[in-house]
Amino acid sequence: MNTLLHFQNQIHYKADDGRPGGTNNKRGARGADLVVTVPVGTVVRDLHSQEVLADLTEEGASFAIARGGRGGRGNRAFANSTRQAPKVRELGEEGEARWLSLELRLLADVGVVGFPNAGKSSLVSRISRVRPKVAAYPFTTLQPSLGTVEAGELSLVVADLPGIIEGAHEGRGLGDRFLRHATRAKVLLHLVDLAAVDGRDPLADYLAIRNELEGWEELRERPEVVAGNKVDLLTQQAVQQWVEEFRSAGVELHPVSALSGEGVQALVGVLAECVEERRQVVAEPTTGGKQTWRLTPEESAFWVEERDGILEVYGETVERLVKRVDLAAPDGLAYLQERLTRMGVMAALRRKGLQEGDRIRIGGVDLEFEQ
Ligand SMILES: Nc1nc2c(ncn2[C@@H]2O[C@H](COP(=O)(O)OP(=O)(O)OP(=O)(O)O)[C@@H](O)[C@H]2O)c(=O)[nH]1
Ligand SMILES: [Mg+2]
């Protein structure tokens, strides 16, 4: 899986609820797991807080995003000294619900950046087995794609990215959407069109893209290899002039032609060296083994608020408890009250002035308090 596109068609995913517990001490079945598959490199955030919940940078990594419904406990679970054959049993629980935002950040050794039409896709298709679409108009590439490049002993993952335009770092064009992908590349391959027509100046192009990269904090310091493409359309002399002009701006330019293949092997060698160096500096995102992210332990806190003369109790555990207990069962209410007492909820309510006959509300359920 390489993109998050399928989430455009489906945004709701629902696992099963737990089943009610039974008599004869039968426990209800747990809700079955639902596994939602995402591409490697997906960052999962809570939609509202934007807190990063999981960064799935590894093949096979998984993250439990919401607890499914627990099955209700059977009647035996509620026995105590005075209630030997309890009629109460729990209902199955609803699973948790949660809104998430998913963002894909491709993991690549080399991210190819440059203006539209510079020949990024042509180069990637020459050095790897992927065949991204190539065409003589800008923004041919709309979705990044990954290819593997063999460079001697090393194997490099190269990402063909959509073209960048000025203002991209502020979100212009497809701007930030794919500059973001570049943030995970160890090395950037900055491709400049040396044969650019309509009066473009390759050095000015280079500096314009540089400016966009500088606008993105994570990319500012990223190692960069610069290549001048389409040398098959230029004279030897013209190519040399560009090499010198870039050099006087402090940039080493590698001349290549994605079309004829000229200079391409040498460029791959330079990239491999650069990636190798970088691999030693930055650790791989994770080291060995499958990573499993876990949910933090259940929150047992609760609090009481008074609204329109009704005392309301909030808190995940308390609210879940009320949903679990079968209040229609003969012993249901007594059992609930016992649990609430043990959790300290009843004491808290009394401190807030709870009296006989008062209504309380927990998790949307209204209850009348009897001593
Ligand atoms: N003569 C020549 N043409 C090239 C070379 N590399 C690419 N082209 C042509 O340049 C045009 C754009 O190539 P692409 O590979 O689609 O460029 P891109 O940078 O991926 O473009 P976007 O995906 O739109 O950003 C196509 O018509 C290619 O055939 C080259 O080395 N020499
Ligand atoms: Mg392209």
Side-chain angles (χ1 to χ4, degrees):
M1 188 175 280
N2 286 313
T3 71
L4 292 169
L5 283 180
H6 59 291
F7 289 100
Q8 285 181 350
N9 301 324
Q10 190 183 357
I11 56 171
H12 291 111
Y13 292 82
K14 190 178 186 305
D16 283 344
D17 291 337
R19 304 263 172 269
T23 50
N24 302 322
N25 200 26
K26 270 202 297 263
R27 191 179 224 303
R30 291 183 54 200
D33 288 348
L34 176 77
V35 177
V36 178
T37 312
V38 296
V40 172
T42 299
V43 182
V44 184
R45 286 193 182 78
D46 182 278
L47 183 67
H48 302 294
S49 70
Q50 286 297 304
E51 178 199 355
V52 175
L53 302 172
D55 190 353
L56 303 170
T57 56
E58 221 187 322
E59 184 86 45
S62 65
F63 173 57
I65 218 70
R67 288 180 202 87
R70 257 188 304 214
R73 285 178 294 169
N75 59 336
R76 273 283 137 209
F78 305 97
N80 60 22
S81 55
T82 57
R83 204 166 51 206
Q84 289 303 328
K87 295 197 182 70
V88 67
R89 59 189 181 128
E90 282 177 328
L91 298 177
E93 212 175 45
E94 272 177 51
E96 285 177 345
R98 196 161 200 187
W99 282 101
L100 304 171
S101 83
L102 302 178
E103 181 197 315
L104 179 59
R105 294 190 171 197
L106 287 186
L107 299 162
D109 294 310
V110 179
V112 188
V113 297
F115 269 107
N117 260 340
K120 300 177 295 299
S121 302
S122 305
L123 184 71
V124 169
S125 88
R126 175 162 277 277
I127 60 181
S128 74
R129 252 193 261 259
V130 283
R131 294 287 170 267
K133 189 172 166 198
V134 169
Y137 53 83
F139 297 113
T140 308
T141 305
L142 294 174
Q143 283 293 327
S145 61
L146 293 180
T148 310
V149 181
E150 303 305 329
E153 312 248 287
L154 272 189
S155 137
L156 311 176
V157 177
V158 176
D160 175 29
L161 302 175
I164 296 172
I165 56 171
E166 279 159 87
H169 74 272
E170 292 155 344
R172 260 191 73 200
L174 292 167
D176 54 345
R177 262 212 280 155
F178 42 77
L179 265 181
R180 192 178 286 155
H181 289 299
T183 59
R184 290 227 175 138
K186 292 192 184 66
V187 172
L188 300 178
L189 171 58
H190 186 156
L191 201 59
V192 186
D193 185 349
L194 287 187
V197 281
D198 54 39
R200 297 181 74 129
D201 169 29
L203 187 57
D205 278 1
Y206 168 80
L207 294 172
I209 297 293
R210 222 23 259 174
N211 190 41
E212 296 311 315
L213 299 173
E214 301 285 336
W216 197 278
E217 207 188 323
E218 293 165 277
L219 293 174
R220 212 167 284 160
E221 307 280 323
R222 197 61 46 92
E224 176 194 64
V225 173
V226 185
N229 191 30
K230 307 193 187 177
V231 297
D232 55 288
L233 296 174
L234 271 67
T235 62
Q236 225 21 69
Q237 208 179 9
V239 173
Q240 208 44 44
Q241 260 171 12
W242 283 120
V243 171
E244 270 150 38
E245 199 160 322
F246 271 74
R247 186 174 295 143
S248 54
V251 181
E252 191 186 348
L253 182 74
H254 303 273
V256 295
S257 166
L259 200 70
S260 73
E262 189 185 337
V264 169
Q265 270 320 307
L267 176 65
V268 169
V270 172
L271 288 170
E273 223 169 273
C274 199
V275 167
E276 182 69 352
E277 220 168 88
R278 186 74 181 163
R279 275 185 186 162
Q280 282 156 14
V281 183
V282 281
E284 295 288 317
T286 46
T287 47
K290 277 185 190 165
Q291 202 179 4
T292 304
W293 300 70
R294 298 201 183 285
L295 285 172
T296 46
E298 261 179 79
E299 186 58 69
S300 66
F302 67 87
W303 67 97
V304 180
E305 271 173 35
E306 187 171 338
R307 270 206 202 132
D308 308 323
I310 299 175
L311 289 170
E312 297 191 27
V313 185
Y314 296 94
E316 211 185 308
T317 313
V318 187
E319 291 177 35
R320 281 154 67 101
L321 171 69
V322 171
K323 288 211 178 101
R324 277 166 79 94
V325 174
D326 185 357
L327 292 172
D331 286 344
L333 263 174
Y335 167 71
L336 178 63
Q337 194 157 337
E338 201 175 295
R339 288 290 304 270
L340 291 176
T341 304
R342 239 184 292 156
M343 287 171 68
V345 175
M346 296 314 295
L349 285 168
R350 282 201 194 87
R351 278 199 299 277
K352 291 262 183 185
L354 181 71
Q355 297 198 346
E356 176 93 34
D358 280 354
R359 266 203 296 160
I360 56 176
R361 186 174 293 159
I362 307 176
V365 178
D366 279 10
L367 302 161
E368 195 168 304
F369 177 56
E370 293 169 33
Q371 208 78 48

